[in-house]
Amino acid sequence: MGPVTADVLQVTALVVALALVYRPFGDYMAAVYTSDRHLRVERLVYRCLGADPDARMRWPAYLRAVLAFSLVGVLFLYLFLRVQNHLPLSLGFAAIPPGQAFNTAASFVTNTNWQSYMGENAMGHGAQTAGLAVQNFVSAAVGMAVAMALVRGFVRSRTGELGNFWADMVRGTIRILLPVAFVAAIVLVGFGAIQNFAGWHEITTLAGGHQTLTGGAVASQEAIKELGTNGGGFYNANSAHPFENPDAFTNLFEIFLILVIPFSLTRTFGKMAGNIRQGYAILAAMGLIWIGFVTLMTWVETAHPGAANQIAGAALEGKEQRFGVGASSLFAVSTTLTSTGAVDSFHSSFTGLGGGIALLGMMLGEIAPGGVGSGLYGILIMAVIAVFIAGLMVGRTPEYLGKKIGTREIKLAALYILVTPAVVLVFTALAMALPTPPHSMLNSGPHGFSEVLYAYTSAGNNNGSAFAGLNADTQWYNTTLGLAMLLGRFVPMVFVLALAGSLARQRPVPATTGTLRTEKPLFAGLLVGAILIITALTYFPALALGPLAEGLS
Amino acid sequence: MNTSVRNSARLLWSALRALLVLTVVLGVVYPLAVWGVAQTAFRGQADGSEVRVGGKVVGSALIGQNFTTGKDFAPDPKWFQPRPSAADAGAGAGPYDPTHTGASNLAVTGRPLTDLVKERKKEVAAFNHVPESEVPADAVQASGSGLDPDISPAYADIQTARVAKANGLSTAQVARLVVEHTEGRQFGILGEPTVNVLELNIALRQLAG
C-alpha cells in the first residue's frame, strides 16, 4: 500500500471513530448539563466548598465565580511550583523560579500549557500530578462551563439566569473528563505509555554505554492532556516522546481524544437548542475547515519543499519514524485547530508553508473544532457575526436561534474577536521592536520572526505549541507570554458571558419566511467564509513577513 | 463596599476549597488509581518496556540509545545505527539522553540545517559504503523526541553489508534479521514501517555470539 492510500485510510479511520461516538457522547454531555440530579460525590464536593449547586446565577455572578476559581488556581499553582522542592516525590528538583512559575501557572490555568521549562529535568512527580494535571482537568471544565452558559443564553428567554458555575464545572470534571481520561489512560498504558513513580535510573546499554531512564505518572497525565485540549507534555519532547505516545495507534488515539469533546459538543449544542440540525451546521463548518487544513498540511509536508528537505529527500526533521509525515501532519493540524498544543512532531522544522498552516490554524481562533468548550463558544460568536453580515446584505435585523442580534450583541461579539488579535500583534510588535527579546530567536530571517509571532499567537489563543527554537525562559517572555495567556483567555470570556446574559433576557422572535435558515448548508458555508475572511484580513501582514516569506522564497 | 469585600472573600474561599478537594480527587486518587490498574494489568509497559539481556536491563524497547564508541560518540560499525538525535545536553552524556529530550527546531529553509544534512549524508554514505543517493531521509534528519527507537527499513538495508562485515557474518544472514525485525504499518494503515534498532541489535548479538 502506498503512503498516500495509508494516509487517507488513517484519516478515514479517525473520522469513523469520531462519527461513531458523536451522537451518544454529545447526547450524554447534554444530559449532564441539563440534569437536575446531583451525584453523591458531587454533593460531597459542594458541601466542601460551601456553595449551593442549585443557586441560579446571572451572568455577572457566573463570571465572578469563573474568575475567582481561576485566580485561586493561578495563585495555588504558583505557590505549589515555588515550593516544589519541599513536596513529596520532588525527585530532588529545585523550586521553580518566580518568573517561570508565574508563566507556568498562567499557562495551565488558562488551558494553554505553554511550557518554558523542560518537564523531565524541572518537575517532580508531586508538581506534575497534583499541580499541573489538576489544572488540565479543571481548566477544561471551566471552558465547557462557559460554553454551556452561552448555549443556555440562546435557549432561555426572559430570564438572565445562565445556570450554576460550580455545578457545571464539577459535573464536567466528574461525569465527563474523569471517566473518559481514566479509560484512556489505561489504554495508553496497554500500548506502552508508562505509569510509575520511579526517579532517574542509570542503565548500561547494549553497546556498553550509559543511559539515564526516567519514570513518571505519564499515562494518567497524557490522557487528560489530550482530552482536555491542554497539551502540556510530561516531557519536553511532548507527544513525540515514546513514553507519552508509544506507537502509531496511540498517536491516532491521542488525536481522537483531542477532537472528541470539541466535535461532540456541537451535538450537545443542537440537543440543548432543541434543533439538532443547528448543531450539524456548526459541525459542518468545523469539519470543513479541519479536513481542508489536514489535506493542505499533508500535501505540503509530503511535497517537502525547503533546502534541507530537498537534500534529505523527505520532511522528517523533527518527526518520528513510527508516525512519519502523514500522521505527524494530522496531529499538527488537530492540535493547532484546537487549543491543545501537544505535538508529536516539531512545528519549527515543518516546511515554511506547513509551519504557516499551523500558525493560521491558531489564528482562526481555534474553532475548528477548537478547545473543549472554548471551541464551541468561539464558533458561536463567529456565527453571530455571520448572521449579522448576512443581515446587512438583505437589510433585515439579524436573528440567531430565535434571538435578535441587536447593537449590544454585535458589540460584544466584535469585542470578542478583537481581543486575541490585539494581544498577539501588540506583543509581537513589542518583542520585535525592543532590543533584547529578539536575542531569544534560534533561527535567523523570516523563520526567526515566525518563532516570535508563533509564541504570541500560541499564548494569545491558549494553544501552547511552539516554534520551540525560541528561548522563552527569559524574564520578558515568561512575563509577556503569561499576560497574553491570561488576557487571551479571560477577557473573551467576559464578552461571552455578557452576551449570554443579554440573549437570555430577550424574548424569542418567531421564525418567519424571511428568517435566515441557520441550519442549512448555505449558512455553514457563510460561516466558513466569515471565519476565513476575518482571520485573513487580521493577520495577513504578519503572515506575509513570516511563513509566507519563508515558504515562497 | 464592606459587603462586596466580604462577598469576594467568601467567593475566593469557596474557590480555594473547591480546588483543594478537586486536587485530592484528580491529583492524588486519579493517578494512583491508574497506577494501580496499570501495575496490575500491564506491569511491563507501565515500568517502561525494559528489555533484558542475560537478566540485565539493557534499555527500553521504546527509547533509542547510542551504539557508539568513545567520548565523542563515534558510530560503532558493529551495530545498526539509529537516527541523528537532538536530545543532547552537551554535558557529556551524548545524544539519546532521556533527561534532555527534544528536537533541533532548525528551519528546513535555513543554512544551519541544510549544511548539517549535507554533512550527515556524506558521513552516512561513507560509513556504509553506499552512494549518497541511497541514504534515506531518516538517516540524516533528527527525530522529534531525540529518542526515536526506530529507523526506516531503507536505513536498515543500507547498513546491512557494513554490519555483516564487522561481525563476520554473511550479508544474507543479517538481511534476514532485518526482514524479521521490520514492522509494517500498524494495523496495515497507521504510521510508517519501522525497524526497532535495539531489538535488531540484540538479535544481531545473539547471532554473532
Side-chain angles (χ1 to χ4, degrees):
Chain A
M1 186 189 303
V4 176
T5 322
D7 288 348
V8 171
L9 289 174
Q10 180 163 248
V11 175
T12 310
L14 175 64
V15 172
V16 168
L18 287 166
L20 283 176
V21 300
Y22 178 76
R23 210 174 136 168
F25 191 49
D27 289 352
Y28 171 73
M29 288 194 286
V32 165
Y33 287 108
T34 48
S35 148
D36 40 45
R37 296 242 308 273
H38 304 295
L39 301 180
R40 196 174 303 158
V41 53
E42 290 169 352
R43 281 183 207 280
L44 191 78
V45 177
Y46 301 137
R47 206 171 309 140
C48 285
L49 70 99
D52 173 9
D54 296 313
R56 283 174 280 192
M57 293 176 170
R58 290 170 176 277
W59 80 265
Y62 204 100
L63 176 67
R64 275 198 299 273
V66 168
L67 294 180
F69 185 65
S70 302
L71 175 66
V72 165
V74 172
L75 294 175
F76 182 80
L77 188 53
Y78 175 83
L79 280 176
F80 206 78
L81 298 173
R82 292 291 293 129
V83 301
Q84 80 142 342
N85 47 333
H86 301 296
L87 297 173
L89 297 173
S90 73
L91 301 177
F93 291 129
I96 306 296
Q100 195 171 44
F102 162 69
N103 182 275
T104 308
S107 174
F108 278 72
V109 172
T110 57
N111 199 255
T112 311
N113 302 49
W114 172 270
Q115 297 169 292
S116 74
Y117 63 89
M118 200 174 227
E120 61 270 30
N121 56 39
M123 296 288 174
H125 296 325
Q128 295 267 28
T129 53
L132 304 176
V134 172
Q135 284 301 331
N136 281 357
F137 278 98
V138 296
S139 66
V142 168
M144 294 202 281
V146 171
M148 289 306 118
L150 178 59
V151 174
R152 290 187 193 118
F154 280 111
V155 175
R156 294 182 180 179
S157 300
R158 285 184 281 177
T159 160
E161 285 157 355
L162 301 175
N164 184 287
F165 169 72
W166 301 112
D168 288 341
M169 189 271 293
V170 170
R171 284 178 184 188
T173 305
I174 303 283
R175 297 195 206 177
I176 299 171
L177 298 171
L178 188 58
V180 180
F182 182 79
V183 174
I186 302 297
V187 171
L188 288 173
V189 178
F191 282 84
I194 63 170
Q195 182 77 8
N196 61 57
F197 291 96
W200 290 11
H201 47 286
E202 196 175 277
I203 53 120
T204 303
T205 63
L206 189 64
H210 296 281
Q211 189 177 38
T212 304
L213 293 177
T214 58
V218 175
S220 55
Q221 193 154 332
E222 187 72 9
I224 186 61
K225 166 189 134 188
E226 313 296 7
L227 181 68
T229 61
N230 293 282
F234 192 95
Y235 297 105
N236 190 52
N238 210 296
S239 297
H241 197 299
F243 281 167
E244 290 196 21
N245 194 359
D247 60 26
F249 168 74
T250 58
N251 189 61
L252 200 69
F253 182 60
E254 289 179 10
I255 299 171
F256 171 82
L257 290 176
I258 288 172
L259 298 173
V260 66
I261 291 181
F263 272 132
S264 300
L265 272 177
T266 58
R267 170 84 189 186
T268 311
F269 160 68
K271 186 98 179 166
M272 286 169 74
N275 184 350
I276 299 210
R277 292 168 67 197
Q278 297 285 357
Y280 287 158
I282 297 291
L283 172 70
M286 288 176 165
L288 203 63
I289 295 175
W290 178 79
I291 200 73
F293 271 56
V294 168
T295 310
L296 273 178
M297 182 71 105
T298 310
W299 172 71
V300 72
E301 289 301 301
T302 305
H304 67 276
N309 287 339
Q310 288 299 309
I311 296 168
L316 279 180
E317 183 71 27
K319 298 190 180 80
E320 300 284 296
Q321 176 61 34
R322 62 193 182 283
F323 309 144
V325 169
S328 299
S329 302
L330 184 57
F331 200 113
V333 165
S334 302
T335 198
T336 46
L337 280 176
T338 60
S339 75
T340 310
V343 291
D344 78 345
S345 50
F346 282 72
H347 298 180
S348 186
S349 297
F350 272 44
T351 62
L353 292 175
I357 294 169
L359 249 175
L360 185 62
M362 294 187 289
M363 288 169 170
L364 293 183
E366 293 168 358
I367 48 180
V372 286
S374 60
L376 182 62
Y377 66 67
I379 203 161
L380 288 177
I381 296 279
M382 290 309 300
V384 166
I385 304 265
V387 293
F388 175 71
I389 294 171
L392 288 182
M393 289 195 258
V394 295
R396 281 182 52 98
T397 308
E399 295 154 18
Y400 187 52
L401 301 174
K403 294 296 173 72
K404 274 202 164 60
I405 306 301
T407 319
R408 181 179 160 80
E409 287 76 21
I410 202 65
K411 270 186 193 161
L412 291 168
L415 284 168
Y416 175 99
I417 61 167
L418 281 175
V419 174
T420 313
V423 166
V424 170
L425 295 172
V426 168
F427 276 122
T428 304
L430 280 176
M432 295 306 294
L434 291 169
T436 3
H439 294 168
S440 282
M441 295 175 189
L442 171 73
N443 292 279
S444 56
H447 199 84
F449 171 73
S450 293
E451 288 176 2
V452 176
L453 177 63
Y454 197 108
Y456 289 106
T457 305
S458 175
N461 286 288
N462 299 140
N463 186 272
S465 65
F467 270 14
L470 187 79
N471 171 24
D473 186 20
T474 66
Q475 202 174 0
W476 166 264
Y477 285 106
N478 274 329
T479 310
T480 53
L481 288 167
L483 289 173
M485 292 187 265
L486 292 170
L487 293 170
R489 174 77 165 176
F490 295 112
V491 179
M493 275 187 181
V494 173
F495 299 129
V496 170
L497 290 172
L499 176 65
S502 161
L503 293 169
R505 268 197 305 274
Q506 288 187 24
R507 68 177 67 201
V509 282
T512 63
T513 48
T515 306
L516 176 68
R517 302 288 296 272
T518 52
E519 75 281 16
K520 294 283 186 191
L522 182 67
F523 178 71
L526 178 72
L527 181 53
V528 172
I531 292 167
L532 293 179
I533 290 167
I534 288 170
T535 310
L537 290 175
T538 312
Y539 287 107
F540 182 76
L543 284 170
L545 290 173
L548 288 177
E550 185 188 349
L552 300 177
S553 67
Chain B
M1 186 65 206
N2 267 339
T3 47
S4 96
V5 170
R6 206 175 310 132
N7 283 344
S8 298
R10 193 182 304 148
L11 184 61
L12 289 170
W13 176 227
S14 281
L16 180 63
R17 283 185 291 175
L19 185 62
L20 291 176
V21 63
L22 288 171
T23 297
V24 173
V25 176
L26 308 169
V28 181
V29 177
Y30 162 68
L32 285 177
V34 174
W35 175 81
V37 176
Q39 289 288 335
T40 313
F42 305 110
R43 181 124 203 201
Q45 291 96 315
D47 285 341
S49 306
E50 290 181 333
V51 182
R52 285 162 197 275
V53 171
K56 272 185 62 182
V57 175
V58 295
S60 162
L62 296 177
I63 305 290
Q65 54 180 248
N66 294 311
F67 292 90
T68 53
T69 55
K71 280 206 156 52
D72 58 345
F73 297 93
D76 186 340
K78 299 207 299 269
W79 302 107
F80 280 95
Q81 293 297 317
R83 297 179 63 186
S85 157
D88 186 348
Y96 283 92
D97 179 1
T99 67
H100 207 89
T101 64
S104 75
N105 290 306
L106 293 171
V108 295
T109 49
R111 255 324 258 285
L113 185 63
T114 310
D115 291 347
L116 205 56
V117 166
K118 251 187 224 161
E119 193 185 311
R120 283 176 183 151
K121 194 149 193 162
K122 205 175 291 168
E123 283 172 8
V124 171
F127 188 64
N128 294 296
H129 312 291
V130 295
E132 282 191 29
S133 60
E134 282 182 25
V135 176
D138 64 303
V140 295
Q141 291 184 320
S143 63
S145 63
L147 303 177
D148 198 334
D150 304 311
I151 53 176
S152 67
Y155 189 25
D157 285 343
I158 64 161
Q159 302 191 55
T160 305
R162 182 256 302 161
V163 168
K165 196 172 163 211
N167 287 285
L169 297 165
S170 77
T171 308
Q173 277 176 301
V174 178
R176 203 174 313 128
L177 276 191
V178 171
V179 171
E180 282 166 17
H181 284 84
T182 300
E183 297 276 342
R185 290 193 176 84
Q186 206 175 1
F187 309 130
I189 56 168
L190 306 182
E192 290 294 324
T194 56
V195 180
N196 184 299
V197 181
L198 178 60
E199 285 171 356
L200 176 60
N201 277 332
I202 289 172
L204 175 72
R205 193 163 92 166
Q206 279 162 357
L207 190 68

